[in-house]
Structures are given as structure tokens and as C-alpha cells.
Amino acid sequence: MTFLEAMQSRFACKLYSDEKIAEKDLLTILEYGRLTPTSFGLELWSFHVVENPSLRKSLYTACFGQESVLSAPLSIITLGRTCPYLDPDGPLVQERGSRFPGSLSDFVEDYRPYYDFLRGKGCLESWSRSQGYLAVANMMTGAADLGIQSCAIEGFDEDLVLALLGLDREDWTVSMVIPFGYPGEIARPKIRASLEELVVRH
Ligand SMILES: Cc1cc2nc3c(=O)[nH]c(=O)nc-3n(C[C@H](O)[C@H](O)[C@H](O)COP(=O)(O)O)c2cc1C
């Protein structure tokens, strides 16, 4: 499949067959997430894979009873770190920053003004959460290339999702929930506005 064909074949799948996803395909999908870029290369995220039947049922409840979550053999949940972890002087940013070829202090002084700007606007946590969206897009398109469908889900109760993962709201914010599996329904045609409507060239 070309990239365009994968984009065209992916659709928001609401019903999945019983067929399991092979481990190597799951690892490939996760690799697409891992290789996704993050702002300042900080990778302040994690990807949780939910396969356990009882956890899948709890996730279904946390997603307001969306059938896609129940019928899919697994869901991947993308999470972002909360504000304290984004501190330029904190251990996580320092560890991440120290991986780059330049000096850590140069890295931190590059990052600090943007951190201060986001903090001043009260946007730090949404910045962290939004990083996961890029990973989701890559994992979904990459999965379609393997014949595996998915559905981006923003409709969830964050407290319930964190509780079933055993995570603390002080540490993590939920970015998105994505069920993955082989489709148990016919692909719906794309409904999209035209490029003429969407694109403004300057
Ligand atoms: C950010 C985001 C949140 C979404 N949340 C949900 C959701 O909670 N439940 C759902 O069934 N679909 C959800 N969708 C799927 C969209 O409704 C769907 O992708 C859109 O209608 C386009 O259809 P297509 O993906 O088949 O091209 C979401 C999609 C995005 C991008």
C-alpha cells in the first residue's frame, strides 16, 4: 500500500471481528507511535495497551459504552505527563534534554521561554495531551497499511480511564483511546470538504 492508499482505506471502525492482532503487528503499530516526533523531542508520553478482557470492559464503561471499545481485541491509550513533569528544571526534562548532542543548559534555556509562555497561558497540560494526537494519527494510518482498522476516541471519562490503568491524575493526563482490530463491518465512504474549501494559499 502507498501512504495515500493507507489513508484512503482507514476509516473510523465501530465494530471488529474476533480475529486477534499478531504480536509483531502490535509492535509495529507501537513503533509508529514511538517514532512520532514530539515538541522539543521531550517524549513526555506513554502508550498503554489494554487487552485483558476485564479491563476492556472497564474501558468500554469509561468510554460511555462505545461498542468499538468492547468489540476490538485491544485498545491503545496515549497519555501525556502532567504540568510538574514539564518543568525545565525537573528530572524528566533534564533526562530527556541530556540525550541531545548540545549541552543540557543550552537545551533547557531553549525550552524555558516556551514553557513559561505556555504556563502563563494556562496551556501546559493541553500542550502535553496534544502531543499524543500525532502518535495516534501515525499508529492509525500505519495500522491501516497492515489491514488493521481503528477509531480515534475522545469520548471518555478521564478519571475512570486512569483508575483502570492504576495511574494517578497528578502524574498523567489521557490523550486518546484507540481501539484496533480487523473490521467486522463494511468501510464507510470518506466524507470530506474539498481542498478548495479548506486550503488558503498566501
Ligand atoms: C479527535 C477525534 C475524536 C474522536 N472521538 C470519537 C469518539 O469518541 N467516538 C467515535 O465513535 N468516533 C470518534 N472519532 C471518529 C470520527 O468521528 C471520525 O474519524 C470522523 O467522522 C471521520 O470519519 P473517518 O475516520 O471514517 O474518515 C473521533 C475522531 C477524532 C479525530
Side-chain angles (χ1 to χ4, degrees):
M1 249 191 232
T2 64
F3 185 77
L4 184 61
E5 286 165 344
M7 290 284 292
Q8 287 165 335
S9 73
R10 187 210 56 77
F11 71 102
C13 184
K14 311 287 170 92
L15 188 68
Y16 297 86
S17 76
D18 292 337
E19 189 176 347
K20 298 269 175 274
I21 295 177
E23 181 68 11
K24 79 169 177 27
D25 289 339
L26 171 60
L27 291 176
T28 300
I29 293 168
L30 290 167
E31 184 68 355
Y32 294 144
R34 188 181 77 91
L35 291 174
T36 298
T38 52
S39 189
F40 288 91
L42 285 169
E43 297 179 273
L44 302 173
W45 60 15
S46 72
F47 309 125
H48 284 240
V49 181
V50 174
E51 290 175 280
N52 172 290
S54 133
L55 282 185
R56 278 167 49 204
K57 204 154 184 208
S58 302
L59 188 59
Y60 163 72
T61 304
C63 293
F64 310 116
Q66 299 201 47
E67 286 294 329
S68 55
V69 177
L70 199 58
S71 73
L74 64 86
S75 289
I76 297 177
I77 303 173
T78 57
L79 300 121
R81 280 295 192 180
T82 49
C83 297
Y85 292 88
L86 314 182
D87 185 338
D89 302 311
L92 186 52
V93 169
Q94 299 264 318
E95 184 275 314
R96 294 296 202 239
S98 66
R99 305 177 302 170
F100 296 105
S103 77
L104 175 60
S105 63
D106 282 353
F107 176 87
V108 169
E109 291 329 306
D110 187 30
Y111 168 60
R112 192 186 303 281
Y114 191 55
Y115 167 85
D116 287 340
F117 170 77
L118 291 176
R119 194 172 62 157
K121 295 259 181 202
C123 294
L124 266 182
E125 192 164 292
S126 65
W127 176 68
S128 174
R129 189 184 306 116
S130 65
Q131 308 288 317
Y133 284 61
L134 286 183
V136 166
N138 285 334
M139 288 193 282
M140 290 172 63
T141 308
D145 181 49
L146 302 170
I148 294 167
Q149 290 297 339
S150 58
C151 183
I153 289 189
E154 248 185 351
F156 53 78
D157 180 325
E158 182 173 51
D159 292 337
L160 291 182
V161 175
L162 289 171
L164 73 92
L165 297 177
L167 299 173
D168 200 317
R169 183 66 185 82
E170 288 187 5
D171 299 323
W172 294 101
T173 181
V174 180
S175 180
M176 208 178 266
V177 174
I178 322 110
F180 286 91
Y182 291 92
E185 63 178 357
I186 307 285
R188 275 174 294 280
K190 288 263 166 293
I191 300 169
R192 293 291 191 274
S194 67
L195 279 182
E196 287 72 25
E197 185 185 334
L198 299 177
V199 177
V200 180
R201 301 182 72 156
H202 298 272

